[in-house]
């Protein structure tokens, strides 16, 4: 069974630039999560989708972050414009109706 | 609101020694509880999970955890640590909302293993 795929693995951008991350969840998983993990901290939920609908985006900085999952499968997370404090690993995870989330390897973003 | 506390930021043990990583949660109902491990540059791998039933759960790599409702704890244990266990460990609580779960993570415990 293929796991959660994320790209790119690494990205370095200058502040005020924009960046996008892509996630392909495990086939058949209805729930998709985006987490932000700042160095030395636990993952923080940014947004949660159930199929193509948003379940929770209460911690998403909506002035600069956006995410979509148009066909209920792949998802993209965008930051525009990026700030220095956005430097983190962005983790995508998916789950079926079992409560167990499977994680991708993450995208490490460095904003300089 | 649900939350997870991992009191130990960093733990160092000798190879072959026993290990216990602490996790306390706050949640109004019976939670789903998870332990994940993260090696450098890697994603999160599930070690074990508790949904219901037997409060002592077995996981991969020889890990186990015990759910204690009275103490709101879900501590992770391993009787004999291997050098390859050095990693970051995260406890998480899952709150069911409809047909989906919201996963809340603790801040993690970094495990260092000395030969």
């Amino acid at each position: 069974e293929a796991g959660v795929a994320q790209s790119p693995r690494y990205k370095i951008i200058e502040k005020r630039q924009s960046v996008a991350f892509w996630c392909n969840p495990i086939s058949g998983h209805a729930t998709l999560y985006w987490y932000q993990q700042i160095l030395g901290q636990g993952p923080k939920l940014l947004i949660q989708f159930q199929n193509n609908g948003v379940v929770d985006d209460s911690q998403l900085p909506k002035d600069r972050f956006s995410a979509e999952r148009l066909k209920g499968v792949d998802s993209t997370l965008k930051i525009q414009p990026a700030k220095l404090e956005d430097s983190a690993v962005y983790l995508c995870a998916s789950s079926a109706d079992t409560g167990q989330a499977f994680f991708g390897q993450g995208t490490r973003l460095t904003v300089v | 609101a649900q939350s997870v506390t991992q009191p130990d930021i960093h733990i160092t043990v000798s190879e072959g020694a026993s290990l216990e990583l602490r996790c306390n949660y706050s949640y109004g109902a019976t939670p789903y509880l998870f332990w994940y491990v993260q090696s450098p540059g890697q994603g999160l791998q599930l070690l074990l999970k508790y949904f219901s039933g037997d409060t002592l759960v077995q996981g991969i790599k020889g890990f186990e955890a015990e759910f204690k409702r009275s103490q709101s704890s879900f501590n992770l244990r391993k009787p004999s640590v291997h050098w390859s266990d050095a990693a970051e460990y995260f406890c998480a609580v899952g709150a069911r909302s409809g047909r989906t779960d919201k996963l809340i993570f603790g801040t993690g415990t970094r495990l260092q293993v000395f030969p």
Side-chain angles (χ1 to χ4, degrees):
Chain A
E1 178 183 85
V4 176
Q6 289 188 248
S7 67
R9 285 296 310 279
Y10 306 93
K11 190 74 176 178
I12 300 175
I13 63 171
E14 296 182 347
K15 59 184 179 184
R16 291 187 289 273
Q17 285 187 322
S18 63
V19 65
F21 312 128
W22 173 81
C23 173
N24 180 228
I26 293 173
S27 177
H29 282 193
T31 305
L32 186 147
Y33 311 83
W34 281 103
Y35 284 86
Q36 180 193 57
Q37 185 178 19
I38 292 173
L39 186 65
Q41 299 181 18
K44 182 184 82 170
L45 180 67
L46 291 176
I47 189 167
Q48 179 179 344
F49 293 95
Q50 176 75 3
N51 296 309
N52 61 347
V54 175
V55 173
D56 185 342
D57 64 355
S58 57
Q59 296 197 84
L60 187 72
K62 299 180 185 64
D63 58 332
R64 298 184 299 105
F65 286 65
S66 64
E68 60 183 13
R69 193 185 184 199
L70 291 175
K71 297 182 179 179
V73 181
D74 293 6
S75 176
T76 55
L77 176 70
K78 297 179 182 178
I79 307 175
Q80 183 178 14
K83 293 185 176 182
L84 296 176
E85 59 260 37
D86 298 331
S87 294
V89 176
Y90 291 84
L91 294 165
C92 179
S94 69
S95 70
D97 189 28
T98 62
Q100 178 181 335
F102 295 82
F103 284 81
Q105 290 192 299
T107 296
R108 181 176 298 276
L109 173 67
T110 302
V111 182
V112 299
Chain B
Q2 54 269 29
S3 65
V4 178
T5 301
Q6 293 182 247
D8 305 305
I9 296 173
H10 186 200
I11 285 184
T12 301
V13 299
S14 298
E15 190 170 21
S18 62
L19 173 70
E20 182 169 28
L21 303 183
R22 297 183 290 164
C23 172
N24 293 95
Y25 68 89
S26 174
Y27 184 56
T30 299
Y32 299 158
L33 294 162
F34 306 84
W35 275 100
Y36 284 86
V37 61
Q38 186 177 38
S39 298
Q42 300 298 312
L44 293 160
Q45 180 184 22
L46 181 71
L47 283 176
L48 48 78
K49 60 191 177 187
Y50 171 79
F51 284 1
S52 65
D54 193 348
T55 57
L56 183 64
V57 294
Q58 304 296 322
I60 62 171
K61 303 183 181 185
F63 286 93
E64 68 177 25
E66 186 171 12
F67 170 56
K68 293 186 177 180
R69 184 188 303 274
S70 62
Q71 298 177 19
S72 297
S73 69
F74 188 58
N75 294 348
L76 182 71
R77 300 193 294 249
K78 186 170 185 177
S80 178
V81 171
H82 189 263
W83 64 266
S84 60
D85 294 325
E88 187 95 21
Y89 291 80
F90 293 95
C91 181
V93 61
R96 173 129 288 203
S97 175
R99 288 171 59 84
T100 66
D101 292 286
K102 180 177 178 178
L103 272 182
I104 306 297
F105 284 85
T107 52
T109 297
R110 180 170 298 279
L111 175 65
Q112 193 170 9
V113 181
F114 281 116

